[in-house]
Amino acid sequence: MKIPTVALVGRPNVGKSTIFNKLVGKKISIIEDTPGVTRDRIYADVNYNSYKFHLIDTGGIDVSKELFNDEIKIQAEIAIDEADIIVFIVDGNEELNQNDFVIRDYLKKSGKDVIVAVNKIDNKRREDNIYNFYELGFSKVIGISGEHNIGIGELLDLICSNFKEYEINYHPFFR
């Protein structure tokens, strides 16, 4: 059985690595407030209930002209091509910006299933901001907070909603 692959994409400093670490259940990705810390793809497996999937963390996609941004975009494009599902992480503290719309356009062209995860939704005022992100044009939008572990279970449920349950085949010797 092929194990599905999920890629986390978004602009810099929206919390992709924090969410990656939460979904994986341990600190693998480096978390900094400085843009550009994650440049390469980082892979790990996620086990959730009776589901298993590969997860890819990517660097923040920025349309500025800096050379390393082109390298990050290439790495993110590879992750998108490999993925069965994309989790498009946006910042619920901020308005949509040019980078969000460039990423949206690319994801629409990819034809992949996209979940918009509005991160940093950790109080009532911010919960109301979630509706602004439907402007991106994706039907699956969920509010989460990677830092405060809010909505992570619901995000996992949404990610796994179309996956087949993964059965572990034990060797008879070990029963």
Side-chain angles (χ1 to χ4, degrees):
M1 170 192 278
K2 178 187 177 289
I3 297 174
T5 300
V6 176
L8 304 178
V9 300
R11 62 182 158 101
N13 290 78
V14 294
K16 292 178 301 302
S17 294
T18 298
I19 293 165
F20 179 87
N21 290 339
K22 287 286 184 196
L23 295 176
V24 171
K26 57 187 168 186
K27 187 175 180 177
I28 296 174
S29 277
I30 299 169
I31 301 168
E32 294 283 336
D33 285 335
T34 308
V37 171
T38 305
R39 294 186 184 194
D40 295 321
R41 300 179 315 280
I42 299 171
Y43 292 81
D45 287 336
V46 175
N47 292 295
Y48 176 67
N49 293 335
S50 55
Y51 301 100
K52 181 175 185 173
F53 60 91
H54 301 301
L55 185 64
I56 309 172
D57 187 16
T58 63
I61 300 170
D62 188 345
V63 295
S64 72
K65 298 294 182 203
E66 296 176 42
L67 179 59
F68 77 85
N69 288 325
D70 289 337
E71 295 169 12
I72 291 171
K73 282 189 273 190
I74 290 167
Q75 294 295 323
E77 288 170 3
I78 292 168
I80 291 165
D81 288 344
E82 292 177 0
D84 299 296
I85 294 179
I86 312 296
V87 179
F88 179 14
I89 300 173
V90 293
D91 189 332
N93 260 347
E94 299 177 8
E95 298 294 319
L96 292 167
N97 70 26
Q98 180 185 7
N99 287 325
D100 295 318
F101 289 108
V102 167
I103 296 166
R104 180 226 28 215
D105 293 346
Y106 186 78
L107 294 178
K108 290 253 184 204
K109 288 178 190 171
S110 78
K112 303 286 176 109
D113 189 15
V114 175
I115 299 167
V116 177
V118 185
N119 193 25
K120 305 179 186 179
I121 302 295
D122 51 14
N123 65 45
K124 182 64 180 155
R125 183 186 59 78
R126 290 184 187 160
E127 283 177 24
D128 293 337
N129 291 347
I130 193 171
Y131 300 105
N132 298 335
F133 295 91
Y134 281 95
E135 181 181 342
L136 292 168
F138 297 104
S139 61
K140 297 176 187 172
V141 178
I142 184 171
I144 64 170
S145 174
E147 185 175 338
H148 300 296
N149 208 29
I150 297 170
I152 299 300
E154 292 85 352
L155 176 60
L156 282 162
D157 288 340
L158 195 53
I159 289 169
C160 296
S161 64
N162 292 322
F163 292 171
K164 292 180 180 165
E165 291 191 34
Y166 182 77
E167 295 179 21
I168 300 172
N169 295 318
Y170 293 101
H171 190 278
F173 178 76
F174 295 107
R175 287 188 182 192

